[in-house]
Amino acid sequence: MKAARRHTWTLFAAALSTLLAAAPAQAVVSAGSTPTALHSETDGEADRQAISREIERFRSSSISISQAMAIAEARHAGATTADVSFDGGSGVPVYRVKTLHNDRIWRHTINASTGELVGGEAALPLAELDHDDRSNLAALGAIRHRLADAVRVAERAAAGKAISGGLVRERGRLNFAIVVISGDDLKEVILEPPGARAK
């Protein structure tokens, strides 16, 4: 992967509203470094090669991250995606999707080539999660924007395709963190949904 200097851009609501009518309030795009979600503590040549292979498998997949989220959400009417990531590390490339529905986190594995559910689904009651995770998921249920909205905005802001996304809380603020492949770079896009500060 090309080594690039890290650049940070902040796009405010006026710019993002032209991208998507229901856009989150702001986006911060970081480019040129490996996002935390794909970063290893031993950042050597083997790690860079593994990331390159993962990206190539992602690019050759027929199903997009948005389609994988829609497939998982359709399993339970009213479900919303809390976390999604591409896994091309071994065997068949898949998306790992976690949805929130009826006080449970549902874990789905979606084949990235066919869109079929792999191995059934598993549910975990919210009561079994730690306080921070329950708080983040409660905030997710209370805001009107969804991870699917954040993925669309991030892909346009970073000019690429999302490979993972989820919730992060930084300095008391709940954000969507989306990793986007843009050219040969990985960019991390942080989006703060309107109303998330008060949650």
Side-chain angles (χ1 to χ4, degrees):
M1 195 177 320
K2 296 179 184 174
R5 288 178 293 217
R6 184 179 177 116
H7 298 284
T8 303
W9 298 274
T10 303
L11 304 173
F12 294 100
L16 288 177
S17 64
T18 63
L19 297 176
L20 182 67
Q26 68 181 33
V28 177
V29 180
S30 302
S33 65
T34 304
T36 304
L38 296 176
H39 183 68
S40 172
E41 289 182 20
T42 58
D43 191 21
E45 183 61 29
D47 293 326
R48 284 189 287 280
Q49 289 176 356
I51 291 170
S52 292
R53 281 191 302 274
E54 186 91 355
I55 290 171
E56 286 309 311
R57 291 195 87 184
F58 172 77
R59 286 184 173 147
S60 67
S61 297
S62 304
I63 304 297
S64 71
I65 201 167
S66 296
Q67 291 170 315
M69 287 188 294
I71 291 165
E73 289 175 357
R75 304 282 302 165
H76 304 278
T80 186
T81 301
D83 187 78
V84 61
S85 61
F86 177 81
D87 182 357
S90 62
V92 176
V94 296
Y95 289 99
R96 303 207 184 276
V97 186
K98 295 177 185 170
T99 59
L100 175 63
H101 183 258
N102 285 346
D103 294 327
R104 292 186 181 278
I105 287 291
W106 294 86
R107 297 173 193 228
H108 312 275
T109 302
I110 308 294
N111 183 309
S113 297
T114 65
E116 294 174 349
L117 187 66
V118 177
E121 59 188 0
L124 178 68
L126 291 182
E128 293 183 20
L129 300 176
D130 67 28
H131 179 278
D132 290 341
D133 287 339
R134 284 194 314 269
S135 175
N136 289 348
L137 292 169
L140 176 65
I143 59 178
R144 72 171 195 235
H145 296 292
R146 298 293 177 241
L147 186 57
D149 300 325
V151 163
R152 283 191 295 275
V153 171
E155 287 179 335
R156 293 184 101 175
K161 293 291 183 186
I163 191 169
S164 69
L167 297 170
V168 295
R169 189 174 290 271
E170 295 176 356
R171 291 180 288 242
R173 294 180 178 170
L174 183 69
N175 297 314
F176 292 117
I178 313 297
V179 177
V180 177
I181 297 173
S182 179
D184 290 334
D185 293 324
L186 293 173
K187 297 180 180 180
E188 185 172 45
V189 181
I190 305 296
L191 297 151
E192 182 180 310
R197 289 182 194 198
K199 305 300 178 210

